[in-house]
Amino acid sequence: MTENVFLIETDFEKAIICRMILDRETVPVARSIIEDGHDFSMPEYGVAYEALLAHYDEGGDWKIVPIAERFAEAGVWELIGESDGFKNIVQYYHTSCDIEDHCRVVRRRALKRRLAATLEIQAQDKSFDVAGLLADIQDVKDELASLEKNQTPVSGSQIIRHIIGDAASGRIREIATPWKLVNNLARPLRTGTVTLLAGNIGASKTFAVLQILDKAITDGIPTAALFLEEDIDHYIHRFWAQKAGVAELTNLRFLKENADYAEQLAAEYAEYLDTIRPCINTTPDKLMNHRQCVGWIETQASAGCKLIVVDPISALDDEGQKPWIIHKAFIDRVKKIAAAYRCAVLLTTHPVKQTSLPSMGEISGGAAFSRFCQYILWLENHPEKKSDIITDCGTIALKHDRTLYILKARNAPGVFKKIAFNFDKDTLTLCEVGLIKKPK
């Protein structure tokens, strides 16, 4: 079996427990592969597994209530007794039908953890037992080979059931941006993927990012953002001004002359600002490299964040390495993190030259980003102009000073389309004007 990239280790474990709860006949299947509860990386799942085996051996009634009572006795009642616990059982049913393969994954990873622990103990032990270590390694290799030999390849229908189950449960979703056309035509920020937002200096990329973050946080999406150019004060200050809809709040002279008004707005948005503060990270005192950035992204993903933003990746230090090599390694690792933890990663960057026209070939970092990111958007700022905008009442010529190019969009209908925007200087927000009609 090729391990489903949509499932991280604890998901396999949860799927096994949920399937066992729903189907008594899966218990002997799991028992034939998993040695005991210690095979689970999450202790509570291991306890639940042992509780289910005991309930099965004693001929217990295989219904939710008696199983919940058994879990309560074992100290893991919350896995099923609370509303979220029962909800998880229903959600994971779709991805837990392949219990035999799931058990092999858990057992295989348990064996690798055991081997790693053995190596660590041996490395610290002065009386190093070479023969014992080699025997342990061989035992693990033999069982891993056996697991590989007996596994069943994932079928096409199983893959589709995984996708349906993940979509139905919300584990795979498209995180909404503040703009309707972007959501409908580009469908970026899908969990498990990487979106790249490019644009030259002055295109208002960061203000767009702040709007996206505000929308996600307001919608209850666990979110983390890493800003690489300024300090935390700078971004919180902009968040406040944008949320209040008063651009003058970024003007120090205005604050001095209108201190009472500013204090009133600070009090009004205090709870909001305290909510977003933990989501914002900056590195004003040091230059971060690609390896450190990948580590930060993975830390946020493992902590449960579903939207992770880095602005801009063009500020990362190449450390003297060849850009095309380090950029490819960077985006490859970020893609794997997004897929493994089912989170959406949004990266911003600049063009190669400030005069570059919107094109994937003009993105800083070159082919690696244009080839491997699933979604690429380019925000262009330009003098105000009129474009033919498609509306429900026909085509209307409307003014706009920003254009968003959809250069790449997986599973979306808007590739190569352009959306007109205006940047509202009074509120520091990007406002969607409409879809630009393609010239004949």
Side-chain angles (χ1 to χ4, degrees), residues 6-7 39 48 67 70 82 141 150 156 172 179 187 192-193 227 237 251 258 263 292 307 309 317 394 440:
F6 297 125
L7 296 176
D39 278 0
I67 291 176
R70 175 72 70 165
E82 296 180 349
K141 287 178 63 178
N150 295 326
I172 294 181
W179 310 290
R187 300 176 188 169
T193 68
F227 293 99
H237 193 175
N251 184 333
N258 300 272
E263 286 288 354
Q292 292 168 331
L307 175 60
V309 179
D317 183 13
K440 295 182 179 179

Side-chain angles (χ1 to χ4, degrees), residues 183-416:
N183 295 333
N184 292 339
L185 295 176
R187 300 176 188 169
L189 307 185
R190 173 172 170 164
T191 52
T193 68
V194 179
T195 298
L196 185 68
L197 174 61
N200 57 342
I201 295 174
S204 314
K205 291 189 306 299
T206 299
F207 283 118
V209 167
L210 296 183
Q211 285 181 260
I212 291 170
L213 290 172
D214 171 62
K215 171 69 173 170
I217 294 168
T218 301
D219 288 347
I221 306 295
T223 301
L226 176 63
F227 293 99
L228 299 172
E229 293 183 318
E230 302 289 346
D231 61 19
I232 188 66
D233 293 7
H234 175 83
Y235 296 103
I236 294 297
H237 193 175
R238 288 191 168 197
F239 253 119
W240 174 48
Q242 190 180 77
K243 189 67 173 179
V246 182
E248 284 289 354
L249 291 174
T250 61
N251 184 333
L252 294 181
R253 180 182 297 176
F254 178 87
L255 293 180
K256 181 179 180 180
E257 296 174 353
N258 300 272
D260 290 342
Y261 176 57
E263 286 288 354
Q264 177 186 336
L265 290 177
E268 182 178 346
Y269 293 100
E271 183 177 353
Y272 169 79
L273 295 171
D274 290 344
T275 299
I276 66 169
R277 173 59 186 90
C279 304
I280 309 304
N281 301 267
T282 61
T283 59
D285 301 326
K286 62 179 180 179
L287 191 61
M288 180 176 277
N289 59 42
H290 290 79
R291 176 178 45 78
Q292 292 168 331
C293 185
V294 165
W296 180 85
I297 292 172
E298 186 157 23
T299 297
Q300 307 311 309
S302 64
C305 288
K306 293 304 176 186
L307 175 60
I308 300 172
V309 179
V310 180
D311 175 49
I313 55 170
S314 44
L316 293 171
D317 183 13
D318 288 341
E319 296 184 288
Q321 299 186 49
K322 294 178 180 178
W324 59 89
I325 295 177
I326 195 167
H327 293 167
K328 183 179 182 300
F330 172 79
I331 194 62
D332 180 65
R333 182 59 188 151
V334 171
K335 279 186 66 177
K336 289 177 179 177
I337 293 169
Y341 291 96
R342 288 198 299 272
C343 60
V345 178
L346 172 61
L347 309 173
T348 75
T349 191
H350 296 95
V352 176
K353 300 177 181 179
Q354 287 307 307
T355 56
S356 298
L357 295 175
S359 164
M360 287 194 289
E362 297 298 323
I363 292 171
S364 178
F369 294 111
S370 60
R371 186 177 302 161
F372 297 112
C373 290
Q374 289 95 338
Y375 302 88
I376 300 178
L377 308 175
W378 185 304
L379 184 61
E380 179 190 40
N381 64 314
H382 49 72
E384 186 177 73
K385 65 180 180 179
K386 280 189 175 182
S387 293
D388 290 334
I389 305 299
I390 299 172
T391 72
D392 294 337
C393 301
T395 302
I396 303 175
L398 296 174
K399 295 179 180 180
H400 62 104
D401 58 18
R402 301 287 190 279
T403 300
L404 184 72
Y405 294 74
I406 305 173
L407 300 181
K408 186 177 181 181
R410 190 180 76 175
N411 297 327
V415 180
F416 303 132

Side-chain angles (χ1 to χ4, degrees), residues 47-58:
V47 173
Y49 175 76
E50 295 288 356
L52 287 169
L53 293 186
H55 195 64
Y56 178 88
D57 292 340
E58 295 171 12

